Structure formats: C-alpha cells, structure tokens
Amino acid sequence: MKFVRDDRDVDGDPFPFVRIDETGGRIEFWGERFSTANRLDQDVFTITNDLNIFLGKHSLTIGTQNEFFSVGNLFIRENFGYYQYDSLSQFLNDIPARQFDRTFSQVDNVAGDESGAIAEYSGFNLGFYVQDEWQATNDFKLTLGLRLDIPGVITDVPVNEEFNTETAREIEAAYGAGMLEGARTGQNIKTQLQFAPRLGFNWDVGGKSMTQVRGGIGVFNSRMPGVWFGGAYNNYGLNIAGVRLRNQVVFNPDVTAQEPGDIDPNNPVPGGQIDLFAEDFNLPQVLKANVAVDQKLPWGLIGTVELLFTKNINNIFYKSLNLRPSTERLTGTGDDRPIFNVFDEIDPTYTGIFLGTNTNKGYAYNAAFSLNKSFENGFFATLSYTFGDAFSLNDGTSSQNNSQWRGYTNVEGRNFERDVARSTFSPGHRVFGSTTYRKAYGGKFGGATAITLTFNGNSGTPFTYTIDDNGFGGMVNDGAFNDENQFYVPNNANDIFLEDPAQWEKLNAFIEGNDHLNGLRGEYAEVNGDRAPFISIFDLKIAQEVFLNMGNGKRNTLEFTLDIFNFANLLNNEWGKVFFAPNFGNFNVVQFEGFLDGTSKPTYSLARNLDALTAEQLRNLDLREFFTDERNLVDTGRIRSSRWQMQFGVRYTFN
C-alpha cells in the first residue's frame, strides 16, 4: 500500500500573477500561475504474485500484477488571478489590464488548496502474464510471452447536459457530425483489453561464448496517465469555470476578491474548460523490435552492435473543438496558411473544449556501437557511440490536455494531422566514454583508491524556427497560449511585409547564414528542423575505501567518495555549458504585428533579440554564443547543469 500526498504551494503570501510587456523585455512577479491551487492525493494498493514452473528445458512464469488506486486531484490554474499589461506605466497608474484571466471553483469559490472542487475518482489496472523461457539447445534460448492489461476507471464522470445537447450540436454544425468522435461529458476512457505479445531470443553462435546474437520483438502498453483522464472530472463545465476580461479589470492584490466576485455554488453557471475523450479512445501502445551482436575481439576487447526500432500503434492526439474552422487564408506572399480567429468561439460559454483521440503516426530508431575492456592492472575502459532519430505527430509532453494541443505545430491548423516531424525526444548523436583505475593496497585489511573519469557528449535538443503572435491571440494561427507556428522563409524582400523595411537586410543575413532556413526559401521551417549546440560534459569521481578487520577473517568497508559533476566547468567556466531548446522548442524569428489595411496581408517585425545584432553578426551567428547570452533565449548561467557541482559521500558496507 502506498500513500502519496503532494501539495504544491507558492512561496510567500498569496499574490496574483502579473506580466508586464515592455519594449526590449518583460517583467513578471507572482504567485506562480500553476501552483495556486494544486494538490494531489493518491492511495495505491498493489497485488503481485508469480508462479514459476520448471519443465525440463522450459521455465514457465505465470503471474498477475494488479493495481487499485484512489485519487484526489485539485488543479485550478491562475486561481489567484493573472494580469497582463502592455507597459509598466499602465500597471503603476491603475489602468485596466490588457487581459485578465482567472480560473475558479464553482463549488465554493475558495482560492487555494482548500477548495472543494477537488476531483476524486478510483480505478484499476489489472495485469496478467505468462512467459516461457525455452532452452531449445545448449546454445539457443527462445523466450515467448503474452501480457494482458485491463485498465479502467470505477467512478462515474459528472455530466453536463447543456454541453451534451446544445454545445455538441453547435460543434457538429461547424465541423461535421464526426468531429466529436462520439465524445460527451459523463464519459471517460473505457475499460479495455490490451494484449501485448513478446518474443525474444539469445544465441551463442558456435557455443564458445565468442559471439552472441540476441534480440526480440513485442508490443508494450502504457500505464494509465491519470493526469489526462482526470481532466474529465475536473473540467466538465460545472466544477471549475474561468473568466477572461480585456481592458476591464484594475489590479487587486487580494486573491480572495478577484473576478468574478461572489457566485452561487448551488446554481453553477456552465463555464471553464471541457476535457473529452473519443468514445473509442485507446491508451498508448508501441511495437518495439531490436537485434544485437556481442563479439569478443582481439586484445580482450568486447564489441557490441545494437539496432532498435519503435513504431506507434496508438498515440495521443488532441483537438480544440471551440475553435471555429478557418474561412480565409493569408494573402500577399507565398505564405498562404489559414487564418483562425481565437475571439470567434463556437460556444463562448467555455474557455476551451479539448478532445483526446488517437493517431498511429510516429516511429523511432537507434543504432549503438560500443567497446569495453578490463585490464589486469586495475584499469577498465568503455567507449560507445549512438545515433538515433524519432518522428512523431504529438509528443504528449504536458500534464494539461489543453497544453497537449497547443504544443503541436501545423501550418494548416493544430486540429489537423500533418506528416510526422522530428520529435522533441530525438536523441541525435551521443558519445559516451568512461575509464576507471582502481588500486588496492595494504593487503586484506588495507584499502583501495578508485578514480573514474566519464565523458558524455550528445546532440542538443531540437527546436523550430517560428513566428511570435506578439499577444494578438492567434490571429495568424489558432489561438494557443504559446501560439508560435512555423516561420515562412521568404524568397526576397517582396515575400514578407516588414513594418520597418530596413530590417530586411538583417533578416536576410540571418537566413543566409542558417543552413536549415536558407535551404527552405519559399517554404515553411521544418518542425524541430534545427538543434541546440552539441553538449560535452566530463564527470570525475574519487572513491577511497578503508577495509576494517572484524575478526574471523571478515572485513567491513568504509568508503569516502568525492563526485565533481561537470568537472570541465570547474576548470574553465566557459566549458561544460548545457543548452536547452528555447521557449518550449520555439525560436522566434519574427513577430506578427497585425494586418495591412484591414486585409489578410500580415505584417511583421524582426524579433528583438535578432534586431539587436548587425547584419554581419547575424550572417555568422554562432548559436553557442547566442544561446549563452542572457539577453537572448537561454541564460545557461542560471541552469544548474551548466555549473559544476561537488558532492561528498560516506558509505559503510557490512560483510
């Protein structure tokens, strides 16, 4: 039995979140937006039992693993209020905020973790499996297995009848009868049978333990991601609601006196976010296959080559059903993507309506090569190289259903499937090396010293060159909170409307100096088409063992350890920098400024951090230097992994 109590609170006294956009920067101070009412209670009971049966060359395992859970999840984002201003003077002079957002409990309107709007539900995940390890010959073993998972939710989901009748009809009128995929409030992920067959083998070629070939293929099931389907209990329109007011609300620091003011808990008014799942929604499943060869080589080396392939069977995909379909497209340049108006909602009663559904698109592959060797004089060394790539439709990187949708990028609109693109989790190249020297001395009751130096080098995370909507709420794209979408790479100065035409020289220089963008003139930047710079990290570990004579020929060991993580950064603060993809993987090239003369011709300005550089600097831009400049996208000086760290340890081992 396991009990988890996770109460995520903001530091200090309760206070609203404030964002002030100034020319050249942004000021933020807050009670953090997503921690103002955030509490998770979990009780988990697990029963596992295995039966092993040995029948000659067969070793059978028959087992069951059953998990029963009860969850209480309170999540009310921006519960203390979220104020956005265009300038510091507007805030200081009590001018109404450009936009005010607040999500609140309809059960009691209590601000903070004590609200009664907590979603409580129970469920289970039953697992049954059988496996046969068959030693077919002395040199060949075959493993066959089958697993059956039965996930389900016991607690009924509350129903919003007004949504199921009126709003659902409006959505189907706008998109067609199939858009909802049978989803309604009061439904959740159905209890389902998930079969997962597996096959594996291990072959000692020639029976001399010189060459080993191993591999397998199988289906693997996802656990139930409670934070996803829990949204159906939190967000059905009568539990949590929200307000969004533009140019109406003057700042008030009292979190108990925020809009909408007093409410009647006995007569909740439909509102807030709606989270739905398709009637035939399936939990994620993948197919995995691998094959590897381990080979003993001359000079005591052992080499390994391994290939791995993964294919999605079911993955998550989200749609925003309150976004009205586009009826026009951009004009005036080669960029003719559709225009979506975030202010023209199908049903303004709700701040968002999100549907979880499935896609089978996406795959990944990896190839790994390694060498290792043990030396007689206490040295051990290993060296490996891995290359992998992954392509997906939606990476499912967020805990909020609406964030899953807005994290997806498609120039034709986020509600539609495109071809797969490079995944945020694409590993790229990785080089790993480690060497250890251990020297024992003083006999049986002396001691030993071990020194280990490890190197890990890997490709930076992928990112996309994008357009910043500049607070216009998605008039170019589709109204997501992070509404960046792929940058259209202009052919020439006439293929983009810049408010300041003089900025073209800088924009063109930046494109010319970027291999990815310069090869896509007249097209859109690829999703995750570029990467942050390569990362190289050294770690050093020193371990000192002291052998203690305990009598009767036994000894205990007292060990002192010193770890220096990112050792190179200790030697030089310019080394060992870690680079992360900027702004959730979005590198803004231009900012959307509006439309020309009431037409559908968009106008832009160059992103401020690019405009701060000269054309020559942009043509020869070094992302390594750019990403470490705190005026720009990533200030690695504030990232702990870009700083060296030292750790001392003591361990006592009983014999």
Side-chain angles (χ1 to χ4, degrees):
M1 191 76 179
K2 180 169 64 175
F3 303 95
V4 180
R5 300 293 180 263
D6 188 359
D7 190 356
R8 175 173 157 178
D9 284 323
V10 298
D11 292 331
D13 295 330
F15 196 82
F17 182 96
V18 180
R19 165 181 160 177
I20 301 171
D21 293 308
E22 282 281 2
T23 301
R26 175 181 297 170
I27 302 170
E28 292 181 345
F29 51 95
W30 59 84
E32 202 274 327
R33 295 168 57 198
F34 304 108
S35 301
T36 51
N38 194 333
R39 191 176 96 230
L40 178 62
D41 300 334
Q42 299 181 81
D43 301 336
V44 183
F45 179 63
T46 303
I47 301 175
T48 301
N49 189 37
D50 289 346
L51 172 64
N52 297 311
I53 304 173
F54 303 100
L55 301 173
K57 294 184 177 182
H58 296 269
S59 297
L60 297 176
T61 300
I62 302 173
T64 181
Q65 183 179 46
N66 305 289
E67 182 179 283
F68 304 90
F69 58 85
S70 178
V71 175
N73 184 24
L74 177 71
F75 178 65
I76 311 177
R77 61 177 178 263
E78 298 161 352
N79 190 221
F80 292 170
Y82 173 31
Y83 294 81
Q84 298 181 55
Y85 294 89
D86 290 320
S87 68
L88 181 60
S89 64
Q90 287 182 345
F91 173 73
L92 295 176
N93 291 294
D94 288 336
I95 295 174
R98 176 187 75 212
Q99 182 169 306
F100 171 83
D101 293 275
R102 180 172 179 252
T103 308
F104 59 93
S105 162
Q106 296 213 70
V107 175
D108 50 22
N109 202 20
V110 170
D113 288 340
E114 301 310 314
S115 170
I118 188 168
E120 296 178 320
Y121 52 92
S122 299
F124 57 85
N125 189 17
L126 309 180
F128 306 93
Y129 44 88
V130 58
Q131 177 178 285
D132 178 16
E133 289 189 5
W134 176 31
Q135 191 71 49
T137 70
N138 291 334
D139 308 328
F140 186 83
K141 181 168 71 174
L142 187 67
T143 302
L144 297 168
L146 176 65
R147 182 181 177 97
L148 170 63
D149 287 302
I150 309 174
V153 184
I154 299 170
T155 309
D156 290 337
V157 181
V159 178
N160 180 342
E161 292 291 357
E162 185 276 339
F163 176 88
N164 288 351
T165 55
E166 301 300 326
T167 306
R169 183 164 52 245
E170 293 178 29
I171 293 171
E172 290 177 341
Y175 278 102
M179 189 64 169
L180 275 164
E181 299 186 42
R184 295 291 189 274
T185 64
Q187 296 176 189
N188 209 322
I189 298 173
K190 290 182 177 179
T191 301
Q192 49 200 261
L193 304 180
Q194 292 187 303
F195 291 94
R198 289 95 182 267
L199 181 149
F201 70 92
N202 192 301
W203 179 27
D204 180 6
V205 181
K208 297 181 180 180
S209 299
M210 293 293 294
T211 304
Q212 177 181 248
V213 181
R214 51 187 170 84
I217 185 170
V219 174
F220 295 85
N221 301 328
S222 164
R223 291 175 54 83
M224 289 195 74
V227 71
W228 293 356
F229 66 79
Y233 296 91
N234 264 323
N235 302 317
Y236 64 94
L238 298 173
N239 181 55
I240 296 172
V243 293
R244 171 168 291 173
L245 301 171
R246 295 180 173 90
N247 303 309
Q248 298 180 50
V249 182
V250 175
F251 179 73
N252 184 348
D254 185 354
V255 300
T256 66
Q258 303 293 319
E259 295 291 341
D262 294 333
I263 64 169
D264 183 1
N266 297 315
N267 296 287
V269 177
Q273 182 172 308
I274 300 288
D275 286 340
L276 305 168
F277 287 92
E279 190 174 22
D280 60 351
F281 180 85
N282 291 303
L283 291 172
Q285 284 184 308
V286 297
L287 172 72
K288 290 189 175 184
N290 80 302
V291 62
V293 178
D294 304 307
Q295 178 67 52
K296 286 187 176 180
L297 301 170
W299 310 297
L301 292 169
I302 298 177
T304 297
V305 178
E306 185 165 9
L307 304 175
L308 174 67
F309 178 78
T310 303
K311 174 71 177 71
N312 283 333
I313 299 173
N314 287 305
N315 197 12
I316 192 74
F317 184 71
Y318 280 91
K319 299 177 182 179
S320 174
L321 304 185
N322 213 15
L323 177 70
R324 196 171 293 280
S326 170
T327 58
E328 60 178 323
R329 305 180 78 92
L330 297 181
T331 60
T333 70
D335 184 0
D336 64 347
R337 76 186 81 198
I339 300 173
F340 295 87
N341 187 347
V342 68
F343 305 119
D344 184 17
E345 298 163 315
I346 291 176
D347 186 351
T349 301
Y350 303 103
T351 56
I353 303 170
F354 297 93
L355 173 70
T357 183
N358 289 121
T359 178
N360 63 1
K361 292 184 177 180
Y363 63 93
Y365 59 85
N366 282 274
F369 310 88
S370 66
L371 290 171
N372 62 76
K373 177 178 172 59
S374 294
F375 299 86
E376 294 180 357
N377 57 1
F379 275 104
F380 172 82
T382 183
L383 178 66
S384 66
Y385 167 75
T386 302
F387 175 76
D389 216 342
F391 298 87
S392 67
L393 198 64
N394 190 321
D395 284 323
T397 56
S398 179
S399 59
Q400 298 183 71
N401 294 317
N402 58 314
S403 297
Q404 302 279 28
W405 174 76
R406 70 182 180 227
Y408 169 64
T409 300
N410 184 3
V411 294
E412 289 298 318
R414 288 178 169 89
N415 279 345
F416 307 100
E417 290 193 9
R418 52 161 166 74
D419 292 336
V420 295
R422 178 163 287 114
S423 166
T424 301
F425 301 110
S426 169
H429 302 274
R430 184 187 181 213
V431 178
F432 176 82
S434 179
T435 182
T436 298
Y437 175 70
R438 184 176 185 274
K439 177 67 174 178
Y441 46 83
K444 186 175 181 180
F445 301 110
T449 302
I451 300 175
T452 301
L453 182 65
T454 301
F455 170 76
N456 186 42
N458 58 273
S459 298
T461 53
F463 65 86
T464 308
Y465 292 103
T466 53
I467 296 170
D468 183 355
D469 80 338
N470 201 22
F472 278 79
M475 296 295 288
V476 170
N477 302 312
D478 31 6
F481 170 69
N482 288 332
D483 201 27
E484 291 86 352
N485 214 323
Q486 292 147 269
F487 170 59
Y488 172 76
V489 189
N491 284 298
N492 49 53
N494 296 322
D495 206 18
I496 186 172
F497 294 98
L498 291 169
E499 283 198 337
D500 180 2
Q503 288 184 336
W504 167 251
E505 181 185 5
K506 291 185 177 182
L507 176 58
N508 191 51
F510 174 67
I511 295 171
E512 286 181 344
N514 186 289
D515 292 339
H516 173 68
L517 294 179
N518 202 39
L520 290 171
R521 296 276 189 169
E523 301 178 48
Y524 297 101
E526 296 175 359
V527 175
N528 288 328
D530 208 345
R531 288 183 179 273
F534 197 84
I535 300 168
S536 299
I537 300 293
F538 286 92
D539 295 325
L540 177 67
K541 180 172 185 175
I542 301 174
Q544 177 62 55
E545 300 175 37
V546 178
F547 303 146
L548 304 176
N549 186 359
M550 307 307 296
N552 300 321
K554 294 183 178 181
R555 74 179 187 194
N556 291 354
T557 303
L558 178 64
E559 182 182 39
F560 301 92
T561 59
L562 170 66
D563 289 279
I564 303 177
F565 305 106
N566 204 348
F567 178 63
N569 188 252
L570 173 64
L571 303 179
N572 187 323
N573 62 11
E574 292 301 317
W575 298 345
K577 293 292 182 69
V578 177
F579 306 94
F580 294 91
N583 192 25
F584 299 100
N586 298 309
F587 185 123
N588 292 323
V589 180
V590 294
Q591 296 179 155
F592 171 65
E593 300 291 356
F595 291 103
L596 287 173
D597 304 322
T599 70
S600 55
K601 299 177 181 179
T603 181
Y604 302 98
S605 63
L606 189 63
R608 287 192 293 264
N609 46 15
L610 296 181
D611 195 31
L613 303 177
T614 67
E616 188 62 26
Q617 288 174 320
L618 289 169
R619 185 173 286 106
N620 300 287
L621 188 64
D622 183 344
L623 287 180
R624 180 174 293 273
E625 295 180 3
F626 190 71
F627 279 13
T628 54
D629 189 331
E630 63 183 25
R631 296 171 299 174
N632 297 316
L633 303 175
V634 175
D635 174 14
T636 61
R638 298 175 187 163
I639 297 173
R640 185 174 62 180
S641 51
S642 289
R643 302 277 190 170
W644 67 270
Q645 299 171 71
M646 185 178 294
Q647 173 180 287
F648 295 94
V650 179
R651 181 171 63 179
Y652 191 86
T653 304
F654 297 90
N655 185 2

